Amino acid sequence: MAAVRISSRSGLPSLLLYLGIGIAMGQDGFFDVKFDNAELTQVIGYAALVVILAEGGLGTKWKEIKPALPAAVVLSLVGVGVSVGVTAAGAHYLVGLEWRQALIIGAVVSSTDAAAVFSVLRKVPLPARITGVLEAESGFNDAPVVILVVAFSTVGPVDSWYVLIGEIALELAIGAALGIAVGWLGSYGLRHVALPASGLYPIAVMAIAVSAYAAGAMLHGSGFLAVYLAAMILGNAKLPHWPATRGFADGLGWLAQIGMFVLLGLLVTPHDLLDDFWPAVVVGLVLTVVARPLEVFISLAPFRLPWQEKALMSWAGLRGAVPIILATIPMVSGIEGSTRVFNIVFVLVVVYTLIQGPTLPWLAKALKIADDPSDAADLGIESAPLERLRGHLLSVAIPAESKMHGVEVGELRLPAGAAVTLVVRENKSFVPAPATVLRRGDELLVVTTDPVRDATEARLRAIGEGGKLAGWLGSGGNAAADALAGPHMSNALKAVKKLGRTDDVKKQEDRDRAARDAKAHH
């Protein structure tokens, strides 16, 4: 984990450090391990990529990605076409590669890497529309890129452009349909069936996501798109034991990346890279300075985004392990010059990650598009189903920035059928009274019946964002803050508010009925 700490402090993606470990172990390295099995590397790389895409989908927040979805889709389709064409032309006319080799390089390096992008932007709070576009693009563009690389790497003549477009459209449609179907069915099953042990939920979630890839691949669809969409649906479905599931997926993602990067480092032969260093620099310059900006500005022309945001997204097109994995496809297919293609891609990824990685946070600040980091942190809510009791047990952690600090238990105004049963504070637990004041760092156990489970969670999150008046004067205490909560949160707050007011009306009706009965008795 020392590599993780070093990358965090230096601003470089950990990709480079693990690649360095693999190179140090391999040929020309300290251990001189001989490894040249491109086919095994491709198989392991595909498996690791499935896990990485699943982990990325589970961490994608629908409320952030939804507004950016149209822009991301256009960028992943039209943008990839622009990038492939411009980069391939540069590789052919400036470096002298044959058209097939140039097209393969253009397709391979057109895939962006979410892990590389966000590992250097994690300390820079960006507007949700930027992170949404970048994250969705990195999840979506792998699918068309893989199809193009496989088509260009097939022995024999390359299909016509309109045939390739038809194949891409069909495979993406099949992959999207299967991913959505598997994700929805999986989330429905996990929400309505209680597994015998909590540790099975993380395994079940990852198994469902991987099965989406398998279904897509078997039916000649895009398995990569299927696994990403299925994982995204699962990640936004409020599944039981979600924090544990998220941590498990995050750990698997790290293991997949580490193993994949070390293996890629083993595969490369350092002394062979020297001859292809300057061609890689030239191709990378065309990609970074010409192709990527054209890709972004042409694709996002219909969307009214400030030029500063487009400039940042142009520079944020980091290439990670995915292009290096895809560069093994022509090697396995036996395409002439495939080893040189692999070397050029390898050098390009390393050199331009070294250049772009450390400068991305600086550029975001220079363009003055960093978001306000002072927003209240979201509550950590974990749900465990109580199947026999037809209820749910919510575990609520109050972060330091939450506006739930200072709110009394009675002021939570949870819907009828929900109650705070236990508070854990400084490693001591106690049963709260209505006047108990909640503090930052507290952990609450909330028991709720099944019908009001969603309304209870919405109410808790609203108070965490807007304080004790949330739901009455808006999620943040005013109309502007209520608008920022989004349509889904606003609808949930309206439902909670309606429940609270209905409860008050019932109480008033009971008092009036009691008064009439007493008057009639006298």
Side-chain angles (χ1 to χ4, degrees), residues 178-208:
L178 288 173
I180 293 172
V182 172
W184 186 86
L185 291 173
S187 62
Y188 180 86
L190 290 176
R191 282 173 60 89
H192 292 82
V193 177
L195 298 180
S198 61
L200 294 176
Y201 282 91
I203 299 175
V205 169
M206 293 302 296
I208 292 170

PDB file of all heavy atoms in Angstrom, residues 178-208:
ATOM      1  N   LEU A 178     -29.298  -5.883 -21.749  1.00  0.00           N
ATOM      2  CA  LEU A 178     -28.972  -6.937 -20.793  1.00  0.00           C
ATOM      3  C   LEU A 178     -28.484  -6.358 -19.469  1.00  0.00           C
ATOM      4  O   LEU A 178     -28.828  -6.862 -18.390  1.00  0.00           O
ATOM      5  CB  LEU A 178     -27.908  -7.864 -21.385  1.00  0.00           C
ATOM      6  CG  LEU A 178     -28.374  -8.777 -22.509  1.00  0.00           C
ATOM      7  CD1 LEU A 178     -27.195  -9.512 -23.130  1.00  0.00           C
ATOM      8  CD2 LEU A 178     -29.394  -9.776 -21.992  1.00  0.00           C
ATOM      9  N   GLY A 179     -27.678  -5.316 -19.536  1.00  0.00           N
ATOM     10  CA  GLY A 179     -27.182  -4.702 -18.299  1.00  0.00           C
ATOM     11  C   GLY A 179     -28.302  -4.144 -17.452  1.00  0.00           C
ATOM     12  O   GLY A 179     -28.332  -4.346 -16.223  1.00  0.00           O
ATOM     13  N   ILE A 180     -29.235  -3.448 -18.085  1.00  0.00           N
ATOM     14  CA  ILE A 180     -30.364  -2.878 -17.340  1.00  0.00           C
ATOM     15  C   ILE A 180     -31.238  -3.989 -16.762  1.00  0.00           C
ATOM     16  O   ILE A 180     -31.665  -3.928 -15.606  1.00  0.00           O
ATOM     17  CB  ILE A 180     -31.186  -1.950 -18.256  1.00  0.00           C
ATOM     18  CG1 ILE A 180     -30.354  -0.720 -18.643  1.00  0.00           C
ATOM     19  CG2 ILE A 180     -32.481  -1.529 -17.584  1.00  0.00           C
ATOM     20  CD1 ILE A 180     -31.001   0.153 -19.700  1.00  0.00           C
ATOM     21  N   ALA A 181     -31.503  -5.032 -17.559  1.00  0.00           N
ATOM     22  CA  ALA A 181     -32.359  -6.130 -17.097  1.00  0.00           C
ATOM     23  C   ALA A 181     -31.721  -6.881 -15.934  1.00  0.00           C
ATOM     24  O   ALA A 181     -32.368  -7.133 -14.900  1.00  0.00           O
ATOM     25  CB  ALA A 181     -32.642  -7.092 -18.253  1.00  0.00           C
ATOM     26  N   VAL A 182     -30.434  -7.233 -16.068  1.00  0.00           N
ATOM     27  CA  VAL A 182     -29.760  -7.973 -15.003  1.00  0.00           C
ATOM     28  C   VAL A 182     -29.641  -7.112 -13.746  1.00  0.00           C
ATOM     29  O   VAL A 182     -29.851  -7.601 -12.622  1.00  0.00           O
ATOM     30  CB  VAL A 182     -28.370  -8.445 -15.477  1.00  0.00           C
ATOM     31  CG1 VAL A 182     -27.573  -9.043 -14.320  1.00  0.00           C
ATOM     32  CG2 VAL A 182     -28.509  -9.465 -16.594  1.00  0.00           C
ATOM     33  N   GLY A 183     -29.319  -5.851 -13.912  1.00  0.00           N
ATOM     34  CA  GLY A 183     -29.198  -4.967 -12.756  1.00  0.00           C
ATOM     35  C   GLY A 183     -30.514  -4.802 -12.024  1.00  0.00           C
ATOM     36  O   GLY A 183     -30.563  -4.850 -10.777  1.00  0.00           O
ATOM     37  N   TRP A 184     -31.602  -4.636 -12.769  1.00  0.00           N
ATOM     38  CA  TRP A 184     -32.911  -4.448 -12.123  1.00  0.00           C
ATOM     39  C   TRP A 184     -33.370  -5.716 -11.420  1.00  0.00           C
ATOM     40  O   TRP A 184     -33.832  -5.677 -10.273  1.00  0.00           O
ATOM     41  CB  TRP A 184     -33.946  -4.032 -13.164  1.00  0.00           C
ATOM     42  CG  TRP A 184     -35.275  -3.679 -12.549  1.00  0.00           C
ATOM     43  CD1 TRP A 184     -35.661  -2.475 -12.056  1.00  0.00           C
ATOM     44  CD2 TRP A 184     -36.374  -4.587 -12.334  1.00  0.00           C
ATOM     45  NE1 TRP A 184     -36.939  -2.560 -11.550  1.00  0.00           N
ATOM     46  CE2 TRP A 184     -37.406  -3.835 -11.699  1.00  0.00           C
ATOM     47  CE3 TRP A 184     -36.594  -5.915 -12.615  1.00  0.00           C
ATOM     48  CZ2 TRP A 184     -38.626  -4.400 -11.357  1.00  0.00           C
ATOM     49  CZ3 TRP A 184     -37.813  -6.489 -12.270  1.00  0.00           C
ATOM     50  CH2 TRP A 184     -38.814  -5.728 -11.649  1.00  0.00           C
ATOM     51  N   LEU A 185     -33.235  -6.855 -12.094  1.00  0.00           N
ATOM     52  CA  LEU A 185     -33.646  -8.118 -11.479  1.00  0.00           C
ATOM     53  C   LEU A 185     -32.793  -8.432 -10.247  1.00  0.00           C
ATOM     54  O   LEU A 185     -33.304  -8.908  -9.227  1.00  0.00           O
ATOM     55  CB  LEU A 185     -33.537  -9.257 -12.493  1.00  0.00           C
ATOM     56  CG  LEU A 185     -34.551  -9.234 -13.655  1.00  0.00           C
ATOM     57  CD1 LEU A 185     -34.217 -10.313 -14.664  1.00  0.00           C
ATOM     58  CD2 LEU A 185     -35.972  -9.409 -13.123  1.00  0.00           C
ATOM     59  N   GLY A 186     -31.499  -8.180 -10.354  1.00  0.00           N
ATOM     60  CA  GLY A 186     -30.622  -8.440  -9.222  1.00  0.00           C
ATOM     61  C   GLY A 186     -30.935  -7.569  -8.028  1.00  0.00           C
ATOM     62  O   GLY A 186     -30.980  -8.041  -6.879  1.00  0.00           O
ATOM     63  N   SER A 187     -31.164  -6.283  -8.272  1.00  0.00           N
ATOM     64  CA  SER A 187     -31.474  -5.366  -7.159  1.00  0.00           C
ATOM     65  C   SER A 187     -32.826  -5.710  -6.543  1.00  0.00           C
ATOM     66  O   SER A 187     -32.993  -5.647  -5.317  1.00  0.00           O
ATOM     67  CB  SER A 187     -31.475  -3.917  -7.657  1.00  0.00           C
ATOM     68  OG  SER A 187     -32.478  -3.716  -8.650  1.00  0.00           O
ATOM     69  N   TYR A 188     -33.796  -6.102  -7.357  1.00  0.00           N
ATOM     70  CA  TYR A 188     -35.107  -6.488  -6.834  1.00  0.00           C
ATOM     71  C   TYR A 188     -34.974  -7.719  -5.935  1.00  0.00           C
ATOM     72  O   TYR A 188     -35.562  -7.783  -4.848  1.00  0.00           O
ATOM     73  CB  TYR A 188     -36.066  -6.766  -7.987  1.00  0.00           C
ATOM     74  CG  TYR A 188     -37.464  -7.164  -7.541  1.00  0.00           C
ATOM     75  CD1 TYR A 188     -38.416  -6.188  -7.250  1.00  0.00           C
ATOM     76  CD2 TYR A 188     -37.819  -8.499  -7.407  1.00  0.00           C
ATOM     77  CE1 TYR A 188     -39.686  -6.540  -6.828  1.00  0.00           C
ATOM     78  CE2 TYR A 188     -39.093  -8.865  -6.996  1.00  0.00           C
ATOM     79  CZ  TYR A 188     -40.029  -7.875  -6.707  1.00  0.00           C
ATOM     80  OH  TYR A 188     -41.283  -8.237  -6.277  1.00  0.00           O
ATOM     81  N   GLY A 189     -34.210  -8.699  -6.407  1.00  0.00           N
ATOM     82  CA  GLY A 189     -34.038  -9.903  -5.608  1.00  0.00           C
ATOM     83  C   GLY A 189     -33.332  -9.644  -4.295  1.00  0.00           C
ATOM     84  O   GLY A 189     -33.741 -10.160  -3.245  1.00  0.00           O
ATOM     85  N   LEU A 190     -32.267  -8.827  -4.307  1.00  0.00           N
ATOM     86  CA  LEU A 190     -31.510  -8.559  -3.085  1.00  0.00           C
ATOM     87  C   LEU A 190     -32.310  -7.726  -2.086  1.00  0.00           C
ATOM     88  O   LEU A 190     -32.093  -7.817  -0.874  1.00  0.00           O
ATOM     89  CB  LEU A 190     -30.197  -7.846  -3.428  1.00  0.00           C
ATOM     90  CG  LEU A 190     -29.148  -8.700  -4.143  1.00  0.00           C
ATOM     91  CD1 LEU A 190     -27.942  -7.863  -4.514  1.00  0.00           C
ATOM     92  CD2 LEU A 190     -28.723  -9.874  -3.271  1.00  0.00           C
ATOM     93  N   ARG A 191     -33.228  -6.912  -2.585  1.00  0.00           N
ATOM     94  CA  ARG A 191     -34.036  -6.087  -1.687  1.00  0.00           C
ATOM     95  C   ARG A 191     -35.186  -6.873  -1.063  1.00  0.00           C
ATOM     96  O   ARG A 191     -35.725  -6.472  -0.034  1.00  0.00           O
ATOM     97  CB  ARG A 191     -34.608  -4.883  -2.444  1.00  0.00           C
ATOM     98  CG  ARG A 191     -33.593  -3.771  -2.670  1.00  0.00           C
ATOM     99  CD  ARG A 191     -34.174  -2.690  -3.564  1.00  0.00           C
ATOM    100  NE  ARG A 191     -35.367  -2.087  -3.005  1.00  0.00           N
ATOM    101  CZ  ARG A 191     -35.374  -1.039  -2.194  1.00  0.00           C
ATOM    102  NH1 ARG A 191     -34.232  -0.470  -1.857  1.00  0.00           N
ATOM    103  NH2 ARG A 191     -36.501  -0.539  -1.740  1.00  0.00           N
ATOM    104  N   HIS A 192     -35.597  -7.966  -1.674  1.00  0.00           N
ATOM    105  CA  HIS A 192     -36.774  -8.694  -1.195  1.00  0.00           C
ATOM    106  C   HIS A 192     -36.463 -10.097  -0.665  1.00  0.00           C
ATOM    107  O   HIS A 192     -37.364 -10.782  -0.194  1.00  0.00           O
ATOM    108  CB  HIS A 192     -37.814  -8.807  -2.317  1.00  0.00           C
ATOM    109  CG  HIS A 192     -38.439  -7.499  -2.694  1.00  0.00           C
ATOM    110  ND1 HIS A 192     -37.838  -6.598  -3.551  1.00  0.00           N
ATOM    111  CD2 HIS A 192     -39.604  -6.927  -2.307  1.00  0.00           C
ATOM    112  CE1 HIS A 192     -38.616  -5.537  -3.695  1.00  0.00           C
ATOM    113  NE2 HIS A 192     -39.695  -5.715  -2.962  1.00  0.00           N
ATOM    114  N   VAL A 193     -35.213 -10.511  -0.755  1.00  0.00           N
ATOM    115  CA  VAL A 193     -34.824 -11.817  -0.232  1.00  0.00           C
ATOM    116  C   VAL A 193     -33.689 -11.617   0.766  1.00  0.00           C
ATOM    117  O   VAL A 193     -32.650 -11.063   0.413  1.00  0.00           O
ATOM    118  CB  VAL A 193     -34.372 -12.766  -1.361  1.00  0.00           C
ATOM    119  CG1 VAL A 193     -33.892 -14.093  -0.775  1.00  0.00           C
ATOM    120  CG2 VAL A 193     -35.509 -13.002  -2.345  1.00  0.00           C
ATOM    121  N   ALA A 194     -33.892 -12.043   1.995  1.00  0.00           N
ATOM    122  CA  ALA A 194     -32.871 -11.907   3.029  1.00  0.00           C
ATOM    123  C   ALA A 194     -31.899 -13.078   2.940  1.00  0.00           C
ATOM    124  O   ALA A 194     -32.283 -14.241   3.100  1.00  0.00           O
ATOM    125  CB  ALA A 194     -33.522 -11.850   4.417  1.00  0.00           C
ATOM    126  N   LEU A 195     -30.627 -12.800   2.683  1.00  0.00           N
ATOM    127  CA  LEU A 195     -29.614 -13.844   2.629  1.00  0.00           C
ATOM    128  C   LEU A 195     -29.259 -14.284   4.050  1.00  0.00           C
ATOM    129  O   LEU A 195     -29.393 -13.514   5.007  1.00  0.00           O
ATOM    130  CB  LEU A 195     -28.373 -13.331   1.901  1.00  0.00           C
ATOM    131  CG  LEU A 195     -28.584 -12.933   0.435  1.00  0.00           C
ATOM    132  CD1 LEU A 195     -27.279 -12.432  -0.178  1.00  0.00           C
ATOM    133  CD2 LEU A 195     -29.128 -14.097  -0.371  1.00  0.00           C
ATOM    134  N   PRO A 196     -28.793 -15.535   4.221  1.00  0.00           N
ATOM    135  CA  PRO A 196     -28.548 -16.051   5.570  1.00  0.00           C
ATOM    136  C   PRO A 196     -27.412 -15.358   6.315  1.00  0.00           C
ATOM    137  O   PRO A 196     -27.336 -15.458   7.540  1.00  0.00           O
ATOM    138  CB  PRO A 196     -28.219 -17.532   5.326  1.00  0.00           C
ATOM    139  CG  PRO A 196     -27.817 -17.615   3.899  1.00  0.00           C
ATOM    140  CD  PRO A 196     -28.603 -16.560   3.189  1.00  0.00           C
ATOM    141  N   ALA A 197     -26.511 -14.663   5.607  1.00  0.00           N
ATOM    142  CA  ALA A 197     -25.388 -13.993   6.273  1.00  0.00           C
ATOM    143  C   ALA A 197     -25.117 -12.677   5.553  1.00  0.00           C
ATOM    144  O   ALA A 197     -25.208 -12.586   4.326  1.00  0.00           O
ATOM    145  CB  ALA A 197     -24.148 -14.873   6.260  1.00  0.00           C
ATOM    146  N   SER A 198     -24.771 -11.643   6.332  1.00  0.00           N
ATOM    147  CA  SER A 198     -24.524 -10.325   5.741  1.00  0.00           C
ATOM    148  C   SER A 198     -23.332 -10.334   4.803  1.00  0.00           C
ATOM    149  O   SER A 198     -23.276  -9.569   3.838  1.00  0.00           O
ATOM    150  CB  SER A 198     -24.308  -9.291   6.848  1.00  0.00           C
ATOM    151  OG  SER A 198     -23.177  -9.641   7.641  1.00  0.00           O
ATOM    152  N   GLY A 199     -22.349 -11.228   5.053  1.00  0.00           N
ATOM    153  CA  GLY A 199     -21.179 -11.283   4.195  1.00  0.00           C
ATOM    154  C   GLY A 199     -21.461 -11.790   2.800  1.00  0.00           C
ATOM    155  O   GLY A 199     -20.608 -11.665   1.907  1.00  0.00           O
ATOM    156  N   LEU A 200     -22.650 -12.357   2.584  1.00  0.00           N
ATOM    157  CA  LEU A 200     -22.999 -12.850   1.254  1.00  0.00           C
ATOM    158  C   LEU A 200     -23.452 -11.735   0.320  1.00  0.00           C
ATOM    159  O   LEU A 200     -23.434 -11.911  -0.905  1.00  0.00           O
ATOM    160  CB  LEU A 200     -24.099 -13.906   1.351  1.00  0.00           C
ATOM    161  CG  LEU A 200     -23.720 -15.220   2.057  1.00  0.00           C
ATOM    162  CD1 LEU A 200     -24.937 -16.122   2.165  1.00  0.00           C
ATOM    163  CD2 LEU A 200     -22.595 -15.924   1.313  1.00  0.00           C
ATOM    164  N   TYR A 201     -23.884 -10.597   0.873  1.00  0.00           N
ATOM    165  CA  TYR A 201     -24.397  -9.520   0.026  1.00  0.00           C
ATOM    166  C   TYR A 201     -23.326  -8.947  -0.910  1.00  0.00           C
ATOM    167  O   TYR A 201     -23.579  -8.774  -2.113  1.00  0.00           O
ATOM    168  CB  TYR A 201     -25.013  -8.417   0.890  1.00  0.00           C
ATOM    169  CG  TYR A 201     -26.392  -8.768   1.388  1.00  0.00           C
ATOM    170  CD1 TYR A 201     -26.572  -9.412   2.600  1.00  0.00           C
ATOM    171  CD2 TYR A 201     -27.529  -8.474   0.640  1.00  0.00           C
ATOM    172  CE1 TYR A 201     -27.834  -9.747   3.063  1.00  0.00           C
ATOM    173  CE2 TYR A 201     -28.800  -8.807   1.094  1.00  0.00           C
ATOM    174  CZ  TYR A 201     -28.946  -9.436   2.302  1.00  0.00           C
ATOM    175  OH  TYR A 201     -30.200  -9.776   2.748  1.00  0.00           O
ATOM    176  N   PRO A 202     -22.109  -8.637  -0.416  1.00  0.00           N
ATOM    177  CA  PRO A 202     -21.085  -8.141  -1.351  1.00  0.00           C
ATOM    178  C   PRO A 202     -20.755  -9.143  -2.451  1.00  0.00           C
ATOM    179  O   PRO A 202     -20.582  -8.763  -3.613  1.00  0.00           O
ATOM    180  CB  PRO A 202     -19.873  -7.902  -0.436  1.00  0.00           C
ATOM    181  CG  PRO A 202     -20.445  -7.712   0.922  1.00  0.00           C
ATOM    182  CD  PRO A 202     -21.642  -8.607   0.981  1.00  0.00           C
ATOM    183  N   ILE A 203     -20.682 -10.437  -2.085  1.00  0.00           N
ATOM    184  CA  ILE A 203     -20.380 -11.458  -3.087  1.00  0.00           C
ATOM    185  C   ILE A 203     -21.510 -11.545  -4.112  1.00  0.00           C
ATOM    186  O   ILE A 203     -21.270 -11.666  -5.323  1.00  0.00           O
ATOM    187  CB  ILE A 203     -20.160 -12.821  -2.400  1.00  0.00           C
ATOM    188  CG1 ILE A 203     -18.971 -12.740  -1.439  1.00  0.00           C
ATOM    189  CG2 ILE A 203     -19.934 -13.915  -3.436  1.00  0.00           C
ATOM    190  CD1 ILE A 203     -18.758 -13.999  -0.623  1.00  0.00           C
ATOM    191  N   ALA A 204     -22.754 -11.485  -3.630  1.00  0.00           N
ATOM    192  CA  ALA A 204     -23.900 -11.565  -4.535  1.00  0.00           C
ATOM    193  C   ALA A 204     -23.925 -10.392  -5.507  1.00  0.00           C
ATOM    194  O   ALA A 204     -24.214 -10.564  -6.700  1.00  0.00           O
ATOM    195  CB  ALA A 204     -25.197 -11.622  -3.732  1.00  0.00           C
ATOM    196  N   VAL A 205     -23.632  -9.197  -5.019  1.00  0.00           N
ATOM    197  CA  VAL A 205     -23.641  -8.007  -5.883  1.00  0.00           C
ATOM    198  C   VAL A 205     -22.605  -8.134  -6.994  1.00  0.00           C
ATOM    199  O   VAL A 205     -22.886  -7.888  -8.179  1.00  0.00           O
ATOM    200  CB  VAL A 205     -23.407  -6.736  -5.047  1.00  0.00           C
ATOM    201  CG1 VAL A 205     -23.136  -5.541  -5.959  1.00  0.00           C
ATOM    202  CG2 VAL A 205     -24.614  -6.450  -4.162  1.00  0.00           C
ATOM    203  N   MET A 206     -21.377  -8.519  -6.641  1.00  0.00           N
ATOM    204  CA  MET A 206     -20.343  -8.667  -7.657  1.00  0.00           C
ATOM    205  C   MET A 206     -20.669  -9.805  -8.619  1.00  0.00           C
ATOM    206  O   MET A 206     -20.394  -9.712  -9.824  1.00  0.00           O
ATOM    207  CB  MET A 206     -18.988  -8.919  -6.982  1.00  0.00           C
ATOM    208  CG  MET A 206     -18.459  -7.731  -6.194  1.00  0.00           C
ATOM    209  SD  MET A 206     -18.260  -6.242  -7.209  1.00  0.00           S
ATOM    210  CE  MET A 206     -17.002  -6.768  -8.368  1.00  0.00           C
ATOM    211  N   ALA A 207     -21.269 -10.878  -8.099  1.00  0.00           N
ATOM    212  CA  ALA A 207     -21.638 -11.993  -8.968  1.00  0.00           C
ATOM    213  C   ALA A 207     -22.694 -11.573  -9.985  1.00  0.00           C
ATOM    214  O   ALA A 207     -22.642 -11.966 -11.158  1.00  0.00           O
ATOM    215  CB  ALA A 207     -22.150 -13.166  -8.128  1.00  0.00           C
ATOM    216  N   ILE A 208     -23.651 -10.770  -9.557  1.00  0.00           N
ATOM    217  CA  ILE A 208     -24.686 -10.284 -10.475  1.00  0.00           C
ATOM    218  C   ILE A 208     -24.070  -9.406 -11.559  1.00  0.00           C
ATOM    219  O   ILE A 208     -24.398  -9.521 -12.751  1.00  0.00           O
ATOM    220  CB  ILE A 208     -25.767  -9.519  -9.696  1.00  0.00           C
ATOM    221  CG1 ILE A 208     -26.549 -10.488  -8.796  1.00  0.00           C
ATOM    222  CG2 ILE A 208     -26.714  -8.797 -10.646  1.00  0.00           C
ATOM    223  CD1 ILE A 208     -27.475  -9.790  -7.825  1.00  0.00           C
TER     224      ILE A 208
END
